[in-house]
Amino acid sequence: RDRATDINRLIAALGNDRQWSDQIDWTRIALIGHSLGGYTALGLAGAWPTWRQPHIRAVIALSPYVAPFVRNHTLGGLVIPVMYQGGTADSRLTTPWVRRPGGAYDQTPSPAYYVEFQKAGHFAWTDLTAGYHEEMRSYCLCFLNKHLKDQQSSCIDRRFPDVSDLRSK
């Protein structure tokens, strides 16, 4: 809950600060989070209905912790585009909960995307490893351009050599 409160306070502070508020297109806000940050982003997008933040228009969840959402079947409350990214070497607490039958990807309404990187572990999205950053960034930008800027592009469906699973609905 503290994470949700932190993000809500940040959004409120930006909205109340003319220096920032005037520069932000409030119709194009996305949250991107890794691990528990992905959990927080999904919760604020509507996976926890009481957390729903109306400014959020898209979410990218990188190796997110989703077990509570899957167990409680709350991902059906998402009404915005979602991209999940995971890795084949990711921990049993994150990526397997996204990719498995009946998991987070399956429970998330359309539009939803899932990209899984071969041999990527839980920290592949951090500065601790650098093997997939270009591909990860490319998928994120394609997703955001498509869903926040209405730019039609097939790059979101492109399978890079290190991608073991690519899904969209």
Side-chain angles (χ1 to χ4, degrees):
R1 291 185 190 262
D2 290 344
R3 291 170 179 269
T5 300
D6 289 345
I7 299 299
N8 283 327
R9 286 181 179 163
L10 173 63
I11 291 171
L14 291 170
N16 291 327
D17 185 332
R18 288 195 66 149
Q19 178 183 353
W20 291 103
S21 182
D22 293 345
Q23 296 181 46
I24 295 172
D25 181 346
W26 292 98
T27 66
R28 296 181 181 179
I29 303 294
L31 290 181
I32 301 173
H34 174 255
S35 194
L36 283 171
Y39 166 85
T40 304
L42 290 164
L44 288 166
W48 290 138
T50 60
W51 288 18
R52 176 115 170 74
Q53 170 53 254
H55 291 295
I56 299 168
R57 299 290 184 244
V59 166
I60 299 175
L62 310 170
S63 182
Y65 176 63
V66 294
F69 304 135
V70 173
R71 284 187 193 124
N72 290 294
H73 298 278
T74 60
L75 292 162
L78 296 170
V79 295
I80 61 171
V82 175
M83 172 179 274
Y84 295 100
Q85 291 188 8
T88 60
D90 199 0
S91 87
R92 60 186 174 85
L93 297 174
T94 50
T95 294
W97 282 85
V98 175
R99 74 168 168 240
R100 73 181 196 190
Y105 175 79
D106 285 352
Q107 290 185 25
T108 301
S110 177
Y113 304 84
Y114 176 62
V115 183
E116 185 175 88
F117 296 92
Q118 186 67 33
K119 299 180 184 176
H122 190 67
F123 295 103
W125 291 266
T126 71
D127 290 341
L128 297 175
T129 61
Y132 308 97
H133 288 181
E134 190 60 37
E135 292 90 347
M136 292 168 175
R137 189 172 21 256
S138 177
Y139 283 114
C140 290
L141 289 174
C142 288
F143 171 80
L144 294 172
N145 284 337
K146 179 175 182 167
H147 292 288
L148 295 184
K149 294 184 176 181
D150 298 321
Q151 295 177 358
Q152 293 305 316
S153 173
S154 61
C155 65
I156 202 165
D157 298 317
R158 178 180 173 211
R159 185 184 288 258
F160 287 95
D162 291 326
V163 172
S164 61
D165 193 355
L166 181 64
R167 304 179 209 172
S168 64
K169 57 181 175 177

